[in-house]
Amino acid sequence: MTSNFLNLYTHDFARVAIAAPICRIADPAYNAAQTIALAEQAAAQGAALVAFPELGLSAYTCDDLFHQRALLDGCLDALDSIVAASQQWKLALVVGVPLRVEHQLYNCAVVIANGQIQGVVPKSYLPNYGEFYDARQFSSGDYAVATEIDLLGERVQFGSGLLFEVADMPLFKFHVEICEDVWVPIPPSSFAALAGATVLVNLSASNALVGKAGYRNQLVSQQSARCISAYLYTSAGTGESTTDLAWDGQGVICENGELLAESKRFSDEATLTFADIDLERLSRERMRMNTFAQSVQRHAAEVNKFRTVFFELEIGRDEPLALKRCVERFPYVPADARRRDERCNEVYNIQVQALAQRLTSSGIKKIVIGISGGLDSTHALLVCARVMDKLNLPRTNILAYTMPGFATSERTLKQAHALMKLVGCSAQEIDIRPSCIQMLKDLNHPYSEGQAQYDITFENVQAGERTNHLFRLANHHHAIVCGTGDLSELALGWCTYGVGDHMSHYNVNASVPKTLISHLVRWVAESGVIGRNDAQVLLDILATEISPELVPGAADGQPEQRTESTIGPYELQDFNLYYVLRFGFRPSKVAFLALTAWQDKEKGRWPDGDHVTRNQYGLGAIKKNLGIFLDRFFRTSQFKRSCVPNAPKVGSGGSLSPRGDWRAPSDAQSVVWLEELRSIPVQEAGN
């Protein structure tokens, strides 16, 4: 089968849908027609699975009409028409229907694909409290003796312990439960997930009550999180009887605790809600969390009761099929302003608490920090200021030093002094050029003889002198050195090893990426958490282009030193870091996600191959910068990360401490990642 890079199924995504048709009570033919119409729409949109409400072919509110043979026979005819229609669709659908089995009546979910019934799942838990009377009409599937039944001339699998696996999508294995099944302490889907189901489906007919929608949302979200699965919940809506109840047609799709999609409630029209679930992400999360496997072993008796039904869908992958999923350009930074402020507040307080504890436990009351007038040292200083407030110590206990070198700009030097004044710390300037010149003389470096040779030695002499001064100042003042380097720099090896910005006594920024640090500084400026003084300097620092300022700029006839021109845009490299570190995705999938994140939102299309504008990257630029990231991350930078100072982990996106999330050999190669990267067909990045 031909696979297209721009097709979501190529990257182990699956499109699913939940449907809430308009129903008529005890009119199976009408309900079947509605089901077929929505299934056709789902198939046309490339869905692999669509789920319909509980008892959707009869309507849930038939009450004692369920014991009328005419209705039951009508439901079989309706089911037959849906099975026949499914021959033309490349998707599976799950419909709700009452079925007679061995003189018992069961509330069932029927799985249909390729013009055949693949299996029948009866409801396990029958509510008989409040407004519900399921046990009056139905029997529990848990006590059914039959494991196979004759249905519409076919011999099909029957039972609550069925799993359905799509043969040509090995990560797509789903389980079906019905309404009340997810409300009990241990839902059947919990054991199904342990048995390998990555997608859990619930056909429901839950009535509308004040506050119930929010609870259902939480219920589905938490079940998907506990099971590390996707969870599709669909419920009955318009057309059900309102004799004593009302219906809202709420549908929810969650993935590992995250809400992907939700249907419109109280709609007067049929609704069809889509989401693209990441099957690989679910699989990798289960692989990463070894306690999931321990749960499988603990509940082996229940897990072994499940049977798997295999069938093919032949999902088309040779044509582009764009991802209908929100992929944030800044995975470390929430897009929603309120959540972003909450994130910044939490990260800031984690950093503050960690550094305060280190000072308290060591009995040290002073901090030495180098201030460059750039982003990272600015945020580290803001953390230090809050630490002093927290410990009831004067901010003058922060011994801040700005240390201009050969390439320090007037702008950053001015910003460093303004920042130190804003914070109210002890502020001093140390010119490191004399000591650097002495070092270069000792090395017989050409610069010491007047030659403009700006090599790595020239740069690292300056970085080393700064760090050397800071450590000796800490010795002299009985203080600790606060590190300022961030997670993005550690990932790319953008730091001077050992006696350089790589080293400190404690680093508050080590697991905070560059894109998040910029938002943290802005948040501090806007919230006034360190004081209500003029914070314009913070905004000026945010507007300053990122540079190590180690090589003299245009004034000396040299190009200005720009960090991102060497290692790539931080917004792209942070994106790459998140998906490589957190999920271990292969490069082609990371590129596909990046392309989706940076697509032209207004025109609803992907940007052309090498097209680059502000906040938009084409596949050519994505591939190029991902290559830079992969080689630096896997091949050249691990030795620096193998011996980093202590630092607090702040987010689930991971840290690179060898004592935490990341343990890797310092002499690994990047060959396999770069080879896979080459498979990306840049020419396919058109509209």
Side-chain angles (χ1 to χ4, degrees), residues 490 502-503 510 639-647 656-659:
L490 283 175
H502 168 259
M503 194 49 58
F639 77 99
K640 297 180 181 180
R641 298 190 290 264
S642 293
C643 53
V644 294
N646 290 179
L656 289 171
S657 168
R659 301 170 295 276

Side-chain angles (χ1 to χ4, degrees), residues 278 280-281 284 579-580 583-587 589-590 593 673:
D278 192 340
E280 183 187 7
R281 179 179 179 179
R284 290 191 170 276
Y579 286 103
V580 169
F583 300 111
F585 288 160
R586 63 185 184 272
K589 181 166 183 173
V590 176
L593 288 167
W673 290 272

Side-chain angles (χ1 to χ4, degrees), residues 12 28 40 81 138 142 168 173 238 265 528-529 587 603 614:
D12 293 314
E40 286 178 341
S81 67
F138 300 103
D142 283 349
D168 47 343
K173 181 182 287 189
T238 300
R265 297 174 61 210
V529 295
K603 297 180 180 178
R614 182 171 179 81

Side-chain angles (χ1 to χ4, degrees), residues 5 26 32 128 165 194 201 262 278 286 325 367-368 403 419 452 531 559 568 578-579 597 633 672:
F5 174 80
N128 222 47
E165 181 171 333
L194 296 179
V201 181
E262 185 174 11
D278 192 340
R286 291 180 178 186
R325 177 184 175 107
I367 298 171
V368 165
M403 294 174 280
L419 175 66
Y578 180 79
Y579 286 103
F633 184 80
V672 293

